[in-house]
Amino acid sequence: MSAPAIVAVRDAFSRAPAPAHPIAIALLGLGQIGAAVARLVHEGHAPARLTTALVRDVTRTRPHCGPVDLTRDIERVFASRPDVIVEVLGGVEPARTFVRTALERGIPVVTANKTLIARHGEELLDVAVRTLTPFRYEASVLAGVPFLGTFAARPLAARVSKLVGIVNGTSNYVLSRATAGRVTIDEAMADAQRLGFAEPDPADDVNGIDAAHKLAVLAWHFGLGSLSPGELETRGLERLHPLDLAAAGDLGGSIKPVASIEHTSGRTSAFIGPAFVPGGHRLAGVTGVENALLLDTSSGRLFFSGPGAGPIPTAATILDDVVEASRGAAPVRRRGGSTAVIAPSTPWLLRVAGTQAGGEDIASFLGAYGIWVRRAHTRDGRTWRLTYACSRERIDAAVAALTAATACDALALRALED
Amino acid sequence: MSAPAIVAVRDAFSRAPAPAHPIAIALLGLGQIGAAVARLVHEGHAPARLTTALVRDVTRTRPHCGPVDLTRDIERVFASRPDVIVEVLGGVEPARTFVRTALERGIPVVTANKTLIARHGEELLDVAVRTLTPFRYEASVLAGVPFLGTFAARPLAARVSKLVGIVNGTSNYVLSRATAGRVTIDEAMADAQRLGFAEPDPADDVNGIDAAHKLAVLAWHFGLGSLSPGELETRGLERLHPLDLAAAGDLGGSIKPVASIEHTSGRTSAFIGPAFVPGGHRLAGVTGVENALLLDTSSGRLFFSGPGAGPIPTAATILDDVVEASRGAAPVRRRGGSTAVIAPSTPWLLRVAGTQAGGEDIASFLGAYGIWVRRAHTRDGRTWRLTYACSRERIDAAVAALTAATACDALALRALED
């Protein structure tokens, strides 16, 4: 069982060419992504063949998959001597145990599982490095854009001080649709589901948890340290009103689902949530299901964008990882260690509604908290104010006091700098 | 000073081939880029040390380079047994012979030489594949953005039908500056030279030849075939007037230095030159020295942007290639064979000046050539017309006939679709 892996390792270092035979893939999981991988392989889009698949129900018919040995027994998967194991079970267990065991036994692993990498990427990479076994997870973040593996092997380009991006295609589609159609988040989500841009249960897309896991993967991958997704400031789309989206447009920008992490002066700060993006910002043009990432590196600012997740682009990325894993490229150890993350100071977009207090009164109220207003916009009895940067503690305290004093309805969204 | 570099090596190579020593680099050429490589190495930014450099003048002082054996003898370079040779001589000969010899002898090569790759990339890669020797040229196109090597090893992502980009930072800076400052191309170029964004002799940046070589590298790298840079439709910035740039703005777009290649229905079409880019196009936001590339892949549209060439970003990319080359990743053969390239049909931005002919007369004149006007704009006695797509033959014939009939001054620039 370890023979193919050993051959692959030798390939990399003896500079021998890749194996001439199709790469034997075993799939762990045959859900939407797994089925797309199987289909691309069956249709001949990759130099690979599918031998075995671990599934819950071996009796179900699997169209478009071609001949494959379906099993519920992980040992049978290992015994089939795959060149590469593709893990698309999702979630932590049993994926973690299966991937760890495969790597311990020298079988290369490709995964698209952001939750697994966010929680146990460091542990699994340590095993891969120790056993000299290829281990790739390109499809876990920006699944349609190849870049993670690139930076893993390029130490100068990977010196990143800041990452800000749109990493959840579903919520980006929902906000774009709600903005363009002047509809509610719920209505836009119904459209997304009808068009196949959202899962039947999109809770983790809407509440930011999917983005938090992806940001944790990025932080670890780019050497900003291991952080717990649960510790990140994570806001969802729930409290957004269609008028917020329209007001953002009136203020020359738009509201986008942003994930951001920055390392400055020895401190790491991060947030996830809908944020005001000024019209001139690179992320302003990223609409629909598209994903994008802006990286501040030691050589300058890089920007990558591409299609958001979807079974076929994700499966294509997984298969490219399979090709790379089969060539035996050695995994590269990453700087580890857990990192404490704080919430950053940023500008804010503050919506205030349902109060008779005048604009000057509110401005001086905010001023008493050290919050300064840059621009204001009124529409339908509500006012939106773009502030200069301040901490979350400060804006939260001001919002709480303002709400208590005037019984208004107030919401503070983060805003990106121009 | 080399201590951090050694630590970095251990980090990056925690797997088997960890050289206990820094990577030994021999430089071919110690001009602007070579000196930047030497400086980054000397300052400890890479897990490497510089052993030997091939130069014309061994007596010249080389500040910031650290101790290095300067020689005029290529055999002395080979005899120094470098782990990797970095070729930054530029041009075809003697670079081609030296690189070929190094690869024949199994010495990994990293180059930033777009001319060499455009003309002889296929021949050199064949040698590298035959001798199983790493060969990398990431810095030859979009030197600040790592992506070429990524696609070399990822066959599904590399299925590209169209590439359109801004690949020359100098001309992009010049057009951005001329547009913003309402100055001539020459004045903007003087600014670029003063700021270090242009070489003392920027002829190949202005006339499109630099971009033609880069497009040839991209076409070959992405499997669109080997083409001769000299056969590409290549236009320079020379005939642009500041009013053209202003008129483009009035028409909701801007003029950018575009390189484009597309493969459809078995035909490859390409052009290089200043083109009208509509405001909603991804390239519209790429200003200053920035470079960018839009790729239509089988999984969707990808976009990459980053800093244009400059000695330090280019040197950082070269050193990342050195790290990858020293890890021994085998080169991947690419689909070769020479490709015939035609000039595509595109929309055009047509400037007409110095005629008393009325707008309707000109429109019906163009209509007689099958050229249909979508929008027109008049400023200072000149008129700019955005047309629907037609061939270069057709627009050239119409311009020649119009000029002959009315003694007007006319210029046709290509335009990108929205």
Side-chain angles (χ1 to χ4, degrees), chain A residues 87-100:
Chain A
E87 186 275 307
V88 283
L89 293 161
V92 172
E93 286 294 355
R96 175 191 180 192
T97 302
F98 293 167
V99 168
R100 197 184 161 103

Side-chain angles (χ1 to χ4, degrees), chain A residues 9 12-17 40 44-47 129 132-134 136 138 144-147 150-151 153-159 282 285-286 290 299-307 312-313 316-317 319-321 323-324 327-333, chain B residues 11-12 14-17 40 44-47 106 108 132-134 136 138 144-147 150-151 153-159 282 285-287 290 299-307 312-313 316-317 319-321 323-324 327-332:
Chain A
V9 167
F13 303 117
S14 66
R15 297 178 194 165
L40 288 183
H45 294 289
V129 167
L132 310 177
T133 307
R136 304 189 72 93
E138 185 71 60
V145 186
F147 76 105
T150 311
F151 285 90
R154 301 185 70 85
L156 277 77
R159 281 184 199 156
R282 237 318 127 66
V286 180
E290 207 176 17
S299 296
R301 177 167 283 190
L302 301 180
F303 180 73
F304 300 94
S305 72
I312 294 295
T317 295
L319 286 168
D320 275 338
D321 265 4
V323 171
E324 293 212 60
R327 296 180 76 218
V332 179
R333 194 187 300 280
Chain B
D11 282 349
S14 37
R15 204 178 169 188
L40 287 184
H45 294 288
L132 308 176
T133 307
R136 305 188 71 93
E138 185 71 59
V145 185
F147 77 105
T150 311
F151 284 90
R154 302 185 69 84
L156 276 77
R159 281 182 199 157
R282 239 312 130 68
V286 180
T287 55
E290 206 176 17
S299 297
R301 177 167 282 191
L302 301 181
F303 180 73
F304 300 93
S305 72
I312 294 295
T317 294
L319 286 168
D320 275 338
D321 265 3
V323 171
E324 292 211 60
R327 295 180 76 217
V332 180

Side-chain angles (χ1 to χ4, degrees), chain A residues 9-372:
Chain A
V9 167
R10 219 177 273 139
D11 280 351
F13 303 117
S14 66
R15 297 178 194 165
H21 58 82
I23 304 155
I25 296 176
L27 271 174
L28 308 186
L30 202 45
Q32 216 183 1
I33 304 291
V37 171
R39 183 176 163 178
L40 288 183
V41 168
H42 184 53
E43 292 176 355
H45 294 289
R49 67 195 167 92
L50 178 60
T51 58
T52 319
L54 184 77
V55 293
R56 282 214 194 101
D57 180 356
V58 296
T59 64
R60 235 180 79 198
T61 312
R62 316 278 175 167
H64 314 301
C65 283
V68 50
D69 180 23
L70 300 179
T71 178
R72 297 172 52 118
D73 178 4
I74 186 68
E75 283 303 332
R76 183 168 165 142
V77 173
F78 294 143
S80 72
R81 301 174 164 244
D83 294 321
V84 180
I85 282 181
V86 171
E87 186 275 307
V88 283
L89 293 161
V92 172
E93 286 294 355
R96 175 191 180 192
T97 302
F98 293 167
V99 168
R100 197 184 161 103
T101 306
L103 294 172
E104 295 278 10
R105 299 185 187 185
I107 305 171
V109 173
V110 169
T111 178
N113 187 336
K114 61 190 169 285
T115 310
L116 180 66
I117 302 299
R119 299 253 174 89
H120 301 286
E122 191 168 341
E123 166 203 336
L124 295 171
L125 185 63
D126 281 350
V127 177
V129 167
R130 177 162 50 76
T131 62
L132 310 177
T133 307
F135 175 49
R136 304 189 72 93
Y137 46 89
E138 185 71 60
S140 63
V141 186
L142 264 65
V145 186
F147 76 105
L148 278 179
T150 311
F151 285 90
R154 301 185 70 85
L156 277 77
R159 281 184 199 156
V160 165
S161 57
K162 182 176 180 181
L163 298 103
V164 54
I166 293 175
V167 298
N168 182 278
T170 301
S171 57
N172 198 35
Y173 175 83
V174 165
L175 283 181
S176 299
R177 170 80 191 106
T179 302
R182 300 184 173 254
V183 297
T184 66
I185 299 297
D186 286 348
E187 288 164 335
M189 178 55 83
D191 285 349
Q193 289 175 313
R194 206 178 53 242
L195 294 166
F197 296 153
E199 306 279 331
D201 177 8
D204 283 358
D205 296 315
V206 172
N207 62 23
I209 287 179
D210 173 86
H213 283 105
K214 288 171 176 168
L215 193 63
V217 173
L218 289 170
W220 169 67
H221 188 82
F222 283 93
L224 302 177
S226 291
L227 50 89
S228 165
E231 282 170 23
L232 297 170
E233 175 187 303
T234 305
R235 295 289 187 278
L237 310 183
E238 305 85 355
R239 292 190 63 197
L240 289 174
H241 189 278
L243 286 174
D244 294 325
L245 309 181
D250 293 335
L251 286 161
S254 54
I255 294 177
K256 303 272 183 200
V258 170
S260 174
I261 187 162
E262 185 167 9
H263 188 81
T264 42
S265 323
R267 294 161 75 98
T268 302
S269 61
F271 74 88
I272 284 136
F276 176 82
V277 177
H281 196 282
R282 237 318 127 66
L283 294 180
V286 180
T287 55
V289 291
E290 207 176 17
N291 282 186
L293 193 63
L294 202 53
L295 302 174
D296 283 354
T297 80
S298 54
S299 296
R301 177 167 283 190
L302 301 180
F303 180 73
F304 300 94
S305 72
I312 294 295
T314 303
T317 295
I318 287 171
L319 286 168
D320 275 338
D321 265 4
V322 164
V323 171
E324 293 212 60
S326 76
R327 296 180 76 218
V332 179
R333 194 187 300 280
R334 207 135 298 134
R335 187 161 65 110
S338 63
T339 305
V341 177
I342 58 169
S345 284
T346 62
W348 299 84
L349 178 65
L350 177 64
R351 177 231 294 163
V352 179
T355 171
Q356 299 303 316
E360 288 189 20
D361 292 343
I362 292 178
S364 59
F365 190 100
L366 295 173
Y369 281 83
I371 297 166
W372 310 105

